[in-house]
Amino acid sequence: MNAVDDTGSIVAEPDWSLLLSDALELASAADHWRRVTCEMRERETLSPSNAHAVQRLVLSYIVYDRCSREVADNGAVLKPKRGNPKAIARLSPHFQAMREAGNDAERLEAELGLSPRRRSGVAKVQKRATRKTASQNYLKPVAQ
């Protein structure tokens, strides 16, 4: 796991090689992760608790890209099988998976405050203030 530059150690990047096998997809996942976490850091919405949601968002992007390449090559509709008089044209499973991944990404972007319409609805991460006790107001460190 690598920490993204300038995010401190807020959220460590997942080991994409455990989830993906294609070298281009590994590079794409790292780019998506970097882009999303940097934007969230700038908006002060990045926290360790939403790390897995960001991971799911990146994987949705990867699945969407993978399926869209397949749909671009073969089309959104599968041709009926030749020789079968009852065969009909049907939607490609890649097209359906692409739409699902797009919907998942859209929902996660809204949840994380990345879509322009939802940015105002996401609150900044609350930074914990140090808690003082009543005695700390009266006790002061002794100079040596």
Side-chain angles (χ1 to χ4, degrees):
M1 294 183 148
N2 301 324
V4 174
D5 295 338
D6 297 333
T7 60
S9 58
I10 299 172
V11 178
E13 183 176 355
D15 184 1
W16 298 113
S17 63
L18 298 175
L19 302 168
L20 304 167
S21 58
D22 187 339
L24 294 175
E25 287 181 349
L26 289 169
S28 181
D31 290 342
H32 287 308
W33 179 271
R34 194 168 299 107
R35 179 179 49 82
V36 169
T37 54
C38 287
E39 183 175 338
M40 290 179 71
R41 177 191 39 85
E42 289 170 2
R43 296 185 188 289
E44 296 179 8
T45 59
L46 183 64
S47 72
S49 63
N50 54 20
H52 200 267
V54 175
Q55 179 180 335
R56 288 192 318 266
L57 175 63
V58 169
L59 290 174
S60 293
Y61 289 157
I62 297 298
V63 169
Y64 182 89
D65 293 344
R66 183 186 301 162
C67 292
S68 64
R69 282 191 301 270
E70 185 69 30
V71 169
D73 290 343
N74 300 320
V77 178
L78 295 178
K79 296 176 184 170
K81 293 182 181 180
R82 293 179 65 178
N84 185 352
K86 294 183 181 181
I88 59 171
R90 59 187 173 95
L91 278 179
S92 165
H94 296 284
F95 181 72
Q96 294 170 335
M98 181 182 78
R99 287 180 45 203
E100 259 323 291
N103 289 337
D104 290 346
E106 201 173 300
R107 183 183 51 78
L108 285 165
E109 287 170 345
E111 203 173 286
L112 294 170
L114 297 173
S115 62
R117 186 173 178 202
R118 304 291 180 143
R119 285 183 184 149
S120 62
V122 176
K124 293 181 179 181
V125 174
Q126 297 294 323
K127 295 180 181 162
R128 292 189 177 192
T130 55
R131 188 173 170 206
K132 285 189 171 186
T133 62
S135 63
Q136 288 176 333
N137 291 330
Y138 298 102
L139 300 175
K140 296 186 180 169
V142 178
Q144 296 179 359

